[in-house]
Amino acid sequence: MKLIILSFVMSLSLNLLASVAPLKKTYIDLDKVKRVSYLLASGRGIGQSTFGHAYLRFSYGEKLSKKDIVIEFVADSPPAELNYLRGVGLSFDGNYDFAVVPAPYTTVYKYHVMKEDRDLTSYVLKLTSEQVKTISSNVNQLIKGGVEMTYSFFLRNCATVVSDVFEDSLDESFNGLISVIPIGIPSKLKKNNLILEKIVDCLLYTS
């Protein structure tokens, strides 16, 4: 009975799969990247991804663009083979590996905003040019070599990888509960004075 309830809960809240069409082996151009943003897809109450979904957004201009590259960190599993229990480490097959998925912002926008009616909030980070390149270089290494740890919804998810990238690149601590909750990361960014600008995209407006 407990497993049935757990499966139901995970079917409502678990983001196991890449939600957008990927750009395979698309790397961040270190000579062109100007801005890095933390991109948060809002939660949907008791729907899918209750605690939001975490991305990193890379801009080649001073302002955000629909052509920006977005990087997603999700469990590597085809939809037909999705196993929610494996997503929480309760399967004999072990945990999923991570998939590092680059995609254009337009694709992410169409999926979350237009299809799912979820807000996308970009937290443009207040960084030096060297910090921008460091984050971009570290993400390129993940695109090339993958994420070393395995996926776990409760312990190692999209927010965990983003938090690790920030911690490794900015010499700031992102440990604790916020490191596994996408909607918790902005509070840490604000506390460390790392937010330059906040821009929200939704069906009604862009701010």
Side-chain angles (χ1 to χ4, degrees), residues 15 17-20 36-42 49 52-58 69-74 101-105 107-109 111-112 116 118-123 125 158-159 162-163 166 182 185 189:
N15 253 323
L17 303 173
S19 59
V20 295
V36 177
S37 304
Y38 173 62
L39 180 63
L40 175 65
S42 63
S49 191
H53 192 50
Y55 297 87
L56 287 173
R57 180 176 182 175
F58 297 85
I69 297 175
V70 173
I71 309 297
E72 182 179 27
F73 307 97
V74 289
V101 185
Y105 181 77
T107 303
V108 179
Y109 176 89
Y111 181 83
H112 285 304
E116 296 188 324
R118 296 166 67 181
D119 295 351
L120 280 174
T121 303
S122 296
Y123 296 88
L125 302 182
C158 57
V162 170
S163 295
F166 287 156
I185 291 178
L189 294 173

Side-chain angles (χ1 to χ4, degrees), residues 4-168:
I4 295 175
I5 294 174
L6 179 59
S7 297
F8 174 72
V9 171
M10 296 313 298
S11 69
L12 292 176
S13 62
L14 184 58
N15 253 323
L16 278 174
L17 303 173
S19 59
V20 295
L23 294 172
K24 291 185 178 180
K25 293 296 182 182
T26 298
Y27 295 98
I28 311 302
D29 190 329
L30 301 185
D31 294 326
K32 293 182 179 180
V33 62
K34 300 295 184 183
R35 297 287 186 192
V36 177
S37 304
Y38 173 62
L39 180 63
L40 175 65
S42 63
R44 295 198 300 175
I46 61 170
Q48 184 184 10
S49 191
T50 301
F51 302 107
H53 192 50
Y55 297 87
L56 287 173
R57 180 176 182 175
F58 297 85
S59 307
Y60 289 162
E62 294 296 333
K63 295 184 178 180
L64 302 187
S65 166
K66 291 293 193 294
K67 297 180 180 180
D68 290 347
I69 297 175
V70 173
I71 309 297
E72 182 179 27
F73 307 97
V74 289
D76 188 7
S77 173
E81 300 175 14
L82 177 61
N83 182 332
Y84 292 111
L85 295 181
R86 187 175 178 185
V88 294
L90 296 179
S91 169
F92 291 113
D93 295 324
N95 294 81
Y96 285 109
D97 290 327
F98 267 96
V100 182
V101 185
Y105 181 77
T106 50
T107 303
V108 179
Y109 176 89
K110 289 176 181 177
Y111 181 83
H112 285 304
V113 177
M114 300 182 68
K115 181 179 179 181
E116 296 188 324
D117 193 16
R118 296 166 67 181
D119 295 351
L120 280 174
T121 303
S122 296
Y123 296 88
V124 184
L125 302 182
K126 187 186 301 182
L127 304 172
T128 65
S129 58
E130 188 61 33
Q131 288 173 321
V132 168
K133 287 189 176 182
T134 299
I135 290 178
S136 303
S137 178
N138 287 342
V139 169
N140 278 345
Q141 289 300 315
L142 295 176
I143 296 172
K144 180 180 180 180
V147 179
E148 292 185 358
M149 59 185 169
T150 56
Y151 184 96
S152 168
F153 174 69
F154 294 113
L155 302 175
R156 301 179 299 276
N157 54 31
C158 57
T160 308
V161 182
V162 170
S163 295
D164 285 350
V165 169
F166 287 156
E167 185 163 316
D168 293 342

